[in-house]
Amino acid sequence: MRAKPILLMTAHRLAILAYIAFALFPLYWLLKVAVTPNDLLYSEGIRLWPSRATLDHFDFVLRHSAFPTFFKNSLIVSGSTAVIVTILASLSGYALSRFNFRGKYWLVALMLLTQMFPLVMLVAPIFKILSPLGLTNSLTGLVIVYTAFNVPFATFLMQSFFDGIPKDLEEAAMIDGATQFVAFRQIILPLTLPGIAATLGFVFTAAWSELLFSLMLISGNDQATFPVGLLSFVSKFSVDFGQMMAAGVLALIPACLFFLLIQRYLVQGLTAGAVKG
Amino acid sequence: MASIDIANIRKSYGIHPVLHDVDLKIGDGEFVVLVGPSGCGKSTLLRMIAGLESVTSGEIRIAGKRVNELAPKDRDIAMVFQSYALYPHMSVANNMSYSLRLRKVAKEKIASVVSGAASKLGLDPLLERRPRALSGGQRQRVAMGRAIVREPKAFLFDEPLSNLDARLREQMRAEIKKLHKDLGATSIYVTHDQIEAMTLADRIVAMNGGFVQQVGSPLDLYDRPANLFVAGFIGSPGMNFFEGTYRNGQSPRFETKGGVTIPAQVHAELADGASATLGIRPEHVEIGTTAPDALKATVDLVEPTGFGIILHLSFGKAIFKAFTNDRAFLKASGEIPVRLPPERLHFFDADGNRV
């Protein structure tokens, strides 16, 4: 009687474990290469862990490369993009979810349309637009471009979260004496925290790992973000894998911290108990 | 507390009219119930009074002041929603005090008002809980508490009990009635449940298809329904109807389409041979009678409800129901004598209006 459920559960757990191992293996390999001394990189064959581990690559990356600058730039760009996009997307998502206005259908269609272009097509025109404004080779320029590209999707994301919050709640607030904006700020927004967290996380990682625009719009190490910075470990004659991987590991840290901070909101459905029994 | 005047209110969504010329005066402290089937416009009317729906034409006055253009927050009314609409991220106490905090009432005043309302509703031990940790009945109470802390001009209830189970609904119904007696607040209550309407209302407004069908005291609507809709909607089990022809003359009578002749009283408004509908409430049908004018009806089904017995009867194809408290009829079968007392009959003309 009981053997079958246990067997099924074991199989289920094993399948999940296998998937996790598969998904995380590249990260593991990143770490492994980062701690492998250069002389062992090609001489030991394929091993799960090098016979001798070292932190020299980390030391070099932090002290002798421009990586801290890349890191700081990336943090500024991704952080600002995430915050700006989330604010804009909250407002526009709320509008799309709650208001009926002329041209709403066309607005949504236009926003969808922006998501259909391969970004490569837009590199040249965007460069042409930003260049006379002095926004090439500038972090501000990158933030503007990233914001523009992320707002439509983030808006749809936020709209779906707002759609999930019963309209009764803000009507009750409005009868209690709130204006629509106060109801939005005090009642709806706190309930959308999971959605806001998800949007923040999504936009942050998208901006954090963006390479194409940052490569095209930024020249010189001062303003480069870290994906571009990683390329500096590739020289004409060799690739410094150890240092590149060490930089990669370091670049993972903020993303991990960020998700650690917001995971509480991601998993929690705050609206439980709002309406009905 | 205040009176509410609704004058020639219309509402349309685009080209679809949902309310037609509704006229209603609600007195200070009165408990008015809007009742009707789903989609009759009763909730829309309530939401227009609350300011959640715009007014297409006509005027709404609260305490004599036109409020058509006022935002909900400036109308000084409280509303209890069907879904309760409690703020999930706030404790019970904060849910109840939200309106007062928005109005920047002093903290001590808020604390005393909230604790007063909480003890009135039996919510004292729950004040620090979040709504999700409450049962349906408790949530309902918090929603009421949120409404009463403010002492608004009027209370609006939008089907507040329909998410509760039958037992709890009965209990909360009584509490609402008691609360109204205590506070004497002008209240408008929307429901599709005619029992709630009958038990709570000072006056019932029966609505159908966006039109007001009848306004009156519960017993008015029960005893003298203005038309077929009200007759059929009020009362449970519902009124029996027979279609047929009214015959005047020496012995006024009603001939059903199935050829049954039912003695009636004189109805001067109906011409001889006019087609009409006869209505009689199941509790007014006399069964097992020995009266000489008794008719024969076939028993199709016997439904015991504990309180009484509902008999499903028929004259040929015309089916109807009778309600009795006499348990002897539990075993009724075959044909039984039935009398429809002429003084209990309701007549409706071809347009469905009472004559």
Side-chain angles (χ1 to χ4, degrees), chain A residues 168-169 171-179 182-183 186-187 190-191 268 270-277, chain B residues 47 50 52 72-73 77-79 81 83 85-90 98-99 102-103 131-132 139 146 150 163:
Chain A
D168 280 0
L169 284 181
E171 290 181 345
M174 273 149 67
I175 285 176
D176 268 350
T179 58
V182 170
Q186 294 185 345
I187 305 296
L191 298 175
Q268 187 182 39
L270 256 174
T271 43
V275 294
K276 271 214 77 174
Chain B
R47 290 169 58 81
L52 299 172
K73 72 182 182 73
I77 35 102
M79 183 155 164
F81 290 78
S83 63
L86 302 180
Y87 312 128
H89 56 305
M90 294 184 191
Y98 183 63
S99 60
L102 280 174
R103 285 176 173 72
R132 69 166 157 268
R139 287 180 199 174
R146 196 166 64 178
R150 242 176 60 206
N163 281 344

Side-chain angles (χ1 to χ4, degrees), chain A:
Chain A
M1 278 287 283
R2 298 204 44 187
K4 211 176 166 193
I6 289 176
L7 210 69
L8 269 175
M9 199 174 75
T10 317
H12 179 222
R13 293 284 153 85
L14 281 177
I16 290 177
L17 266 177
Y19 171 74
I20 291 176
F22 179 75
L24 291 184
F25 187 75
L27 290 183
Y28 169 73
W29 208 246
L30 188 75
L31 188 70
K32 184 243 168 189
V33 174
V35 298
T36 306
N38 274 339
D39 54 323
L40 294 182
L41 199 54
Y42 297 107
S43 58
E44 279 200 314
I46 296 171
R47 293 174 58 137
L48 271 183
W49 195 251
S51 54
R52 190 154 45 79
T54 173
L55 292 176
D56 286 352
H57 297 312
F58 289 95
D59 187 60
F60 181 87
V61 163
L62 286 176
R63 278 209 252 172
H64 302 294
S65 75
F67 186 79
T69 317
F70 302 152
F71 194 82
K72 189 190 78 197
N73 290 342
S74 260
L75 216 54
I76 293 172
V77 170
S78 308
S80 334
T81 306
V83 170
I84 296 171
V85 167
T86 305
I87 292 173
L88 290 178
S90 301
L91 296 172
S92 52
Y94 181 75
L96 286 184
S97 165
R98 290 296 197 263
F99 300 140
N100 269 318
F101 48 89
R102 202 180 302 230
K104 181 171 165 178
Y105 174 83
W106 291 106
L107 192 75
V108 171
L110 261 176
M111 277 169 53
L112 266 179
L113 203 68
T114 63
Q115 301 292 292
M116 294 176 188
F117 290 101
L119 292 185
V120 182
M121 283 169 54
L122 300 174
V123 170
I126 284 193
F127 191 88
K128 212 60 180 144
I129 295 169
L130 294 187
S131 178
L133 298 170
L135 288 172
T136 53
N137 206 19
S138 113
L139 295 183
T140 318
L142 265 193
V143 170
I144 293 173
V145 172
Y146 289 173
T147 301
F149 281 112
N150 279 303
V151 159
F153 183 80
T155 299
F156 291 131
L157 199 64
M158 285 308 296
Q159 184 197 349
S160 68
F161 280 105
F162 287 123
D163 284 345
I165 293 178
K167 222 176 164 181
D168 280 0
L169 284 181
E170 60 203 299
E171 290 181 345
M174 273 149 67
I175 285 176
D176 268 350
T179 58
Q180 178 124 28
F181 187 72
V182 170
F184 171 71
R185 200 162 50 82
Q186 294 185 345
I187 305 296
I188 304 303
L189 219 47
L191 298 175
T192 330
L193 281 181
I196 290 176
T199 309
L200 270 176
F202 171 80
V203 178
F204 185 86
T205 36
W208 187 257
S209 54
E210 209 283 336
L211 176 63
L212 184 64
F213 279 96
S214 131
L215 194 62
M216 296 299 166
L217 297 178
I218 306 287
S219 53
N221 277 350
D222 284 355
Q223 307 290 314
T225 57
F226 104 86
V228 179
L230 279 187
L231 289 177
S232 68
F233 294 105
V234 182
S235 65
K236 210 165 190 178
F237 304 106
S238 69
V239 180
D240 202 330
F241 278 114
Q243 287 169 18
M244 194 191 225
M245 298 298 166
V249 171
L250 292 173
L252 272 179
I253 293 172
C256 288
L257 278 180
F258 193 76
F259 272 92
L260 212 65
L261 273 176
I262 61 173
Q263 62 90 22
R264 187 165 84 90
Y265 298 105
L266 282 178
V267 294
Q268 187 182 39
L270 256 174
T271 43
V275 294
K276 271 214 77 174

Side-chain angles (χ1 to χ4, degrees), chain B residues 327-341:
Chain B
R327 294 203 173 174
F329 288 99
L330 273 175
K331 296 213 162 57
S333 63
E335 290 203 326
I336 57 168
V338 163
R339 183 170 170 267
L340 309 182

Side-chain angles (χ1 to χ4, degrees), chain B residues 294-345:
Chain B
L295 304 158
K296 289 271 178 225
T298 314
V299 179
D300 296 330
L301 189 70
V302 179
E303 287 182 321
T305 65
F307 167 64
I309 300 155
I310 301 168
L311 291 156
H312 291 237
L313 306 168
S314 57
F315 292 139
K317 276 188 185 161
I319 54 167
F320 64 103
K321 290 177 190 170
F323 182 86
T324 174
N325 284 319
D326 187 346
R327 294 203 173 174
F329 288 99
L330 273 175
K331 296 213 162 57
S333 63
E335 290 203 326
I336 57 168
V338 163
R339 183 170 170 267
L340 309 182
E343 69 278 12
R344 297 290 202 181
L345 300 182

